[in-house]
């Protein structure tokens, strides 16, 4: 037998494709990354309405939580001095998938999901006041999840005249002749990412400073962030520019880069033209990398500086639509590699290319571009298909990736070059490297080298003197051929003289297949040059010398294990070389035997 509740449910849902109560329940879980991203949707609306000031308020009140009194967010308000709305527009703004910018490809809005979707993802009630003739003449409406779920409300309530509450006017810096106030209330703890005002606003400040950096930098909008404990102001500040390319100043970057760019541009900005639906649209790619001034003079890791920690939160390619960042996509970065924080990249495109880039309706990602971060065309190519044939096939199939392939490969190519440049910056620097005039393995190698000479095993270099001319030539080789920083090269040259070294270990890119080369220099100096392009260098030498101050125990164990495995594979490669070169096998074995004897002398007791 049906109960009265069953009858009500049947009457409400029978025949409806999407019952409102169930639809709203699903939409509440629509996938905003956190509360800061949901608030960004409201800021979008304000900027779209030509607001020059957006004020974000978090109001805390004390409440009992598990029988203990704690501060909890009671209300969040976003107030702007934008153009305001008429009654019909306000009602549309609270309808899911509706709005006044559905066909507008000129601004940051469009999808008609932001205001209602973002609001109910965080709270159970949202109230809106909007006005065009002063806040005393505002109109008001709301959405209440309790009313929708009970079936009492099936349409957005018609807006009615209602002045903006005095407490919000008292908090506001500029309510304006026109504007809008959105207030969230009736929160559930599991929906708010942060339960109190301070962390909510701090994360909102960091995100909004990055997301709207172009608007803030150009003076188009200010974002004020206010935290209140009851009515006492705890925080009141403006969001500063947070540029992941670190080319804008002033910014939120810690000193000394708060008022000067921390990075420098990498080459010229690159323009790609994409034809879509009968029109051509420009896509801009901008890239940057850390200035040498970020390297501390005392040789400590720049990643441990406050500005380095700031950069660690901004890793990835910034995807920008109509001047507003959608996402900072870290899938372009190489795992947890500390140097990845020292480059920046930005792809900016117009809303007309939303379908090409795969923009989601909550404006948090460009899925097509993001999925191409590790794109390998050969893995998808048909047998015997060339790259150009593959592109033509994608074009013929209407695959949006066709438009983005050249952009993706350009980014990957430039990142490879930037990473090399960053490695060159830190050659001979950092906590993983001793001071060049400290005792090191180079001293041990030099001592063994001299002992061999004293035993009668003379070489041409043993007779040479390391004088000023030899030092000048070594410096020139290190800076011009090996691409060492000038200061580091000077330190190396000075250490060779003061510690009377004959052997130094350096790294440089080489076209050779050899893991290392032996490069005699004037003055009897021998450079053992590791080929930084050889995989053994990355997995063995660099893995063990890279800064470990920020590495976890598991990361360190992994590095050591990988280095051990790499060494064993090097020996396996030698063994295979011996086996395959049958005519020279005996000579190679003799070389291995003699090299082993010399290695024993270099590595054995007294080393």
């Amino acid at each position: 037998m049906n109960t009265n509740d069953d009858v009500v449910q049947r009457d409400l849902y029978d025949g409806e494709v999407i019952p409102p109560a169930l639809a709203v329940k699903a939409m509440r879980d629509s996938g905003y990354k956190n509360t800061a991203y949901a608030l960004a949707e409201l800021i979008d609306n304000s900027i779209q309405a030509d607001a020059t000031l957006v004020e974000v308020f978090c109001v805390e009140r004390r409440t009992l939580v598990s029988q203990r009194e704690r501060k909890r967010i009671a209300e969040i308000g976003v107030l702007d001095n934008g153009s305001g709305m008429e009654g019909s527009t306000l009602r549309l703004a609270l309808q899911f998938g509706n709005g006044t910018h559905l066909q507008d490809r000129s601004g940051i809005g469009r999808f008609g999901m932001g205001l209602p979707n973002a609001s109910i993802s965080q709270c159970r009630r949202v109230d809106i006041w909007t006005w065009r003739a002063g806040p005393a003449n505002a109109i008001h409406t709301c959405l209440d999840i309790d009313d929708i779920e009970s079936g009492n409300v099936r349409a957005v309530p018609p807006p009615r005249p209602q002045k903006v509450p005095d407490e919000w006017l008292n908090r506001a810096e500029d309510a304006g002749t026109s504007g809008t106030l959105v207030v969230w209330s009736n929160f559930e703890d599991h929906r708010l990412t942060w339960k109190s005002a301070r962390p909510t606003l701090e994360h909102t400040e960091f995100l909004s400073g990055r997301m709207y950096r172009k608007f803030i930098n150009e003076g188009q909008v200010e974002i004020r962030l206010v935290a209140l404990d009851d009515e006492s102001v705890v925080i009141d500040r403006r969001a500063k520019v947070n540029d992941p390319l670190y080319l804008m100043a002033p910014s939120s970057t810690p000193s000394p880069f708060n008022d000067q760019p921390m990075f420098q541009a990498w080459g010229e900005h690159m323009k790609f033209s994409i034809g879509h639906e009968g029109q051509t649209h420009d896509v801009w790619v901008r890239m940057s990398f850390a200035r040498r001034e970020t390297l501390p003079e005392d040789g400590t890791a720049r990643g441990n500086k406050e500005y380095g920690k700031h950069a660690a939160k901004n890793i990835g390619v910034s995807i920008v639509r109509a001047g507003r960042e959608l996402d900072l996509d870290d899938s372009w970065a190489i795992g947890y590699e500390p140097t990845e924080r020292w480059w920046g990249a930005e792809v900016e495109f117009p809303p007309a290319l939303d379908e090409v880039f795969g923009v989601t309706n909550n404006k948090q990602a460009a899925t097509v571009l993001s999925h191409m971060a590790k794109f390998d065309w050969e893995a998808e190519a048909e047998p015997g298909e060339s790259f150009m044939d593959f592109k033509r096939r994608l074009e013929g199939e209407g695959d949006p990736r066709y438009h983005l392939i050249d952009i993706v490969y350009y980014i990957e190519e430039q990142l490879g070059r930037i990473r090399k440049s960053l490695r060159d910056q830190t050659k001979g620097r950092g906590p993983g490297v001793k001071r060049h005039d400290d005792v090191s393995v180079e001293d041990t190698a030099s001592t063994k080298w001299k002992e061999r000479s004293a035993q009668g095993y003379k070489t041409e270099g043993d007779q040479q003197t390391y004088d000023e001319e030899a030092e000048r030539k070594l410096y020139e080789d290190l800076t011009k051929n090996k691409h060492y920083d000038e200061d580091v090269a000077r330190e190396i040259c000075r250490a060779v003289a003061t510690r009377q070294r004959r052997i130094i270990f350096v790294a440089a890119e080489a076209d050779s297949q050899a893991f290392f080369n032996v490069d005699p220099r004037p003055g009897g100096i021998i450079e053992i040059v590791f080929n930084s392009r050889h995989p053994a260098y990355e997995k063995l030498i660099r893995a063990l010398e890279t800064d470990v101050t920020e590495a976890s125990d598991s990361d360190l164990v992994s590095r050591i294990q990988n280095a051990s495995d790499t060494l064993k594979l090097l020996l396996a490669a030698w063994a295979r070389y011996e086996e395959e070169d049958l005519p020279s096998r005996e000579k190679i074995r003799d070389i291995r035997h003699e090299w082993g004897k010399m290695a024993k002398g270099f590595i054995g007791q007294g080393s």
Side-chain angles (χ1 to χ4, degrees):
M1 181 175 177
N2 290 334
T3 64
N4 288 337
D5 287 343
D6 292 333
V7 173
V8 170
Q9 290 291 82
R10 186 185 65 214
D11 290 342
L12 285 175
Y13 299 158
D14 192 24
E16 294 185 348
V17 175
I18 306 176
L22 297 182
V24 168
K25 180 177 173 60
M27 288 173 181
R28 298 196 74 199
D29 300 319
S30 57
Y32 283 92
K33 294 177 182 178
N34 56 46
T35 301
Y37 275 91
L39 282 169
E41 286 282 9
L42 274 57
I43 298 173
D44 277 358
N45 292 339
S46 297
I47 293 175
Q48 190 81 18
D50 298 322
T52 58
L53 175 63
V54 183
E55 301 180 75
V56 181
F57 302 93
C58 276
V59 182
E60 288 182 329
R61 294 196 177 92
R62 298 180 185 278
T63 185
L64 284 178
V65 179
S66 300
Q67 297 183 333
R68 294 184 62 183
E69 191 178 75
R70 298 182 184 276
K71 293 180 183 178
R72 285 289 187 265
I73 293 176
E75 292 176 300
I76 295 178
V78 177
L79 185 150
D80 68 56
N81 63 355
S83 58
M85 291 178 277
E86 296 178 349
S88 58
T89 305
L90 173 57
R91 205 172 185 198
L92 285 175
L94 277 176
Q95 287 184 302
F96 291 90
N98 213 336
T100 59
H101 297 286
L102 296 183
Q103 304 304 319
D104 183 2
R105 296 296 185 106
S106 62
I108 59 178
R110 179 190 162 206
F111 295 98
M113 298 292 286
L115 176 55
N117 229 32
S119 298
I120 68 169
S121 75
Q122 304 297 311
C123 67
R124 296 188 66 82
R125 182 180 172 92
V126 54
D127 288 86
I128 304 180
W129 291 264
T130 188
W131 57 96
R132 289 187 161 182
N137 300 305
I139 54 175
H140 166 268
T141 190
C142 65
L143 279 182
D144 194 301
I145 298 300
D146 292 340
D147 290 340
I148 295 171
E149 288 181 347
S150 67
N152 293 330
V153 170
R154 300 173 61 78
V156 178
R160 300 183 185 282
Q162 185 182 108
K163 71 183 292 287
V164 176
D166 288 339
E167 65 264 27
W168 290 104
L169 293 177
N170 293 336
R171 296 162 184 162
E173 184 175 295
D174 180 17
T177 303
S178 61
T180 299
L181 169 65
V182 180
V183 177
W184 294 348
S185 61
N186 196 2
F187 295 103
E188 299 155 297
D189 270 359
H190 71 280
R191 290 197 173 272
L192 284 176
T193 311
W194 306 280
K195 309 303 183 288
S196 56
R198 182 177 292 276
T200 299
L201 288 186
E202 287 176 347
H203 284 86
T204 300
E205 178 180 19
F206 192 88
L207 178 67
S208 61
R210 193 179 72 212
M211 190 175 284
Y212 306 105
R213 61 184 180 271
K214 294 177 183 283
F215 298 94
I216 298 172
N217 187 60
E218 293 169 9
Q220 295 180 31
V221 70
E222 292 182 72
I223 300 173
R224 181 188 178 212
L225 303 146
V226 182
L228 300 110
D229 182 357
D230 288 326
E231 292 305 314
S232 300
V233 175
V234 179
I235 295 173
D236 188 349
R237 58 177 179 249
R238 265 33 177 198
K240 295 180 180 179
V241 164
N242 174 18
D243 178 19
L245 275 71
Y246 291 98
L247 297 175
M248 295 178 178
S251 72
S252 64
T253 313
S255 177
F257 300 108
N258 54 325
D259 58 2
Q260 61 177 312
M262 187 164 71
F263 288 9
Q264 57 190 316
W266 176 263
E268 299 294 326
H269 300 331
M270 190 70 176
K271 182 175 76 172
F272 295 84
S273 296
I274 292 179
H276 181 60
E277 295 185 346
Q279 292 187 321
T280 300
H281 306 279
D282 292 336
V283 176
W284 289 93
V285 178
R286 305 175 182 92
M287 307 190 79
S288 61
F289 70 114
R291 293 163 55 190
R292 287 188 180 274
E293 290 84 347
T294 59
L295 294 165
E297 293 182 1
D298 59 6
T300 57
R302 56 184 169 181
N304 289 335
K305 300 293 185 181
E306 289 304 312
Y307 56 81
K309 295 174 183 177
H310 191 279
K313 300 175 184 177
N314 279 331
I315 293 175
V317 173
S318 178
I319 302 172
V320 178
R321 171 188 180 270
R324 185 262 206 200
E325 183 183 83
L326 299 179
D327 188 22
L328 185 63
D329 187 357
D330 63 2
S331 58
W332 298 82
I334 301 175
Y336 182 73
E337 171 58 53
T339 57
E340 292 296 279
R341 74 186 68 184
W342 300 114
W343 59 260
E346 175 186 280
V347 179
E348 184 170 15
F349 62 93
L353 295 178
D354 282 349
E355 290 80 9
V356 171
F357 280 83
V359 177
T360 57
N361 64 14
N362 59 13
K363 301 195 294 289
Q364 290 188 107
T367 56
V368 176
L369 179 64
S370 295
H371 291 159
M372 296 180 73
K374 301 291 188 288
F375 185 65
D376 180 7
W377 74 271
E378 292 178 318
E380 296 190 35
E382 295 176 351
E385 191 173 37
S386 68
F387 178 64
M388 293 307 298
D389 288 339
F390 175 76
K391 284 184 64 177
R392 280 190 285 268
R393 178 162 62 83
L394 290 188
E395 182 181 20
E397 293 173 352
D399 192 321
R401 295 180 300 173
Y402 160 74
H403 298 289
L404 304 181
I405 287 179
D406 291 340
I407 296 174
V408 167
Y409 281 122
Y410 172 78
I411 294 172
E412 289 182 346
E413 179 187 19
Q414 298 310 307
L415 283 179
R417 294 180 180 180
I418 290 174
R419 287 172 178 131
K420 177 190 176 299
S421 180
L422 290 171
R423 288 196 296 269
D424 287 344
Q425 275 187 359
T426 57
K427 278 182 180 178
R429 290 181 178 271
V433 179
K434 293 182 178 181
R435 286 172 49 91
H436 293 283
D437 56 358
D438 286 346
V439 176
S440 75
V441 69
E442 292 175 332
D443 295 311
T444 304
S446 296
T447 298
K448 298 298 182 181
W449 197 268
K450 295 170 187 175
E451 287 177 359
R452 291 288 296 179
S453 177
Q455 293 168 8
Y457 301 100
K458 298 287 186 179
T459 68
E460 183 178 336
D462 291 337
Q463 313 305 318
Q464 298 179 16
T465 301
Y466 183 73
D467 53 18
E468 289 185 3
E469 178 63 13
E471 183 170 325
R472 184 187 67 78
K473 290 184 177 180
L474 178 60
Y475 171 82
E476 187 176 89
D477 175 66
L478 290 172
T479 54
K480 292 185 178 180
N481 300 329
K482 308 303 192 299
H483 302 293
Y484 274 72
D485 176 82
E486 292 181 358
D487 290 340
V488 173
R490 288 192 190 94
E491 291 176 16
I492 293 173
C493 292
R494 193 178 306 116
V496 168
T498 57
R499 300 199 64 82
Q500 299 182 357
R501 287 173 180 157
R502 289 294 185 179
I503 302 293
I504 60 174
F505 297 94
V506 297
E509 285 193 345
D511 293 329
S512 168
Q513 295 294 321
F515 170 34
F516 66 92
N517 294 306
V518 178
D519 189 2
R521 307 305 307 165
I525 305 304
I526 299 295
E527 289 181 351
I528 297 177
V529 187
F530 293 113
N531 181 2
S532 58
R533 287 187 177 179
H534 198 286
Y537 172 77
E538 188 74 23
K539 295 182 178 182
L540 185 61
I541 304 300
R542 188 164 179 269
L544 295 177
E545 289 185 347
T546 300
D547 177 17
V548 299
T549 56
E550 297 181 39
S552 63
D553 290 345
S554 60
D555 182 47
L556 293 175
V557 171
S558 177
R559 287 194 202 183
I560 294 170
Q561 184 62 58
N562 288 337
S564 174
D565 291 345
T566 300
L567 179 58
K568 291 172 184 175
L569 290 172
L570 284 173
L571 299 179
W574 177 278
R576 182 66 190 183
Y577 170 64
E578 277 193 22
E579 291 301 303
E580 289 187 8
D581 195 353
L582 187 60
S584 304
R585 183 181 295 171
E586 291 303 318
K587 182 179 180 180
I588 293 171
R589 287 177 177 174
D590 288 343
I591 291 172
R592 172 165 51 82
H593 179 74
E594 292 302 316
W595 186 37
K597 285 171 57 180
M598 189 167 293
K600 184 177 179 180
F602 271 61
I603 299 172
Q605 291 184 353
S607 64

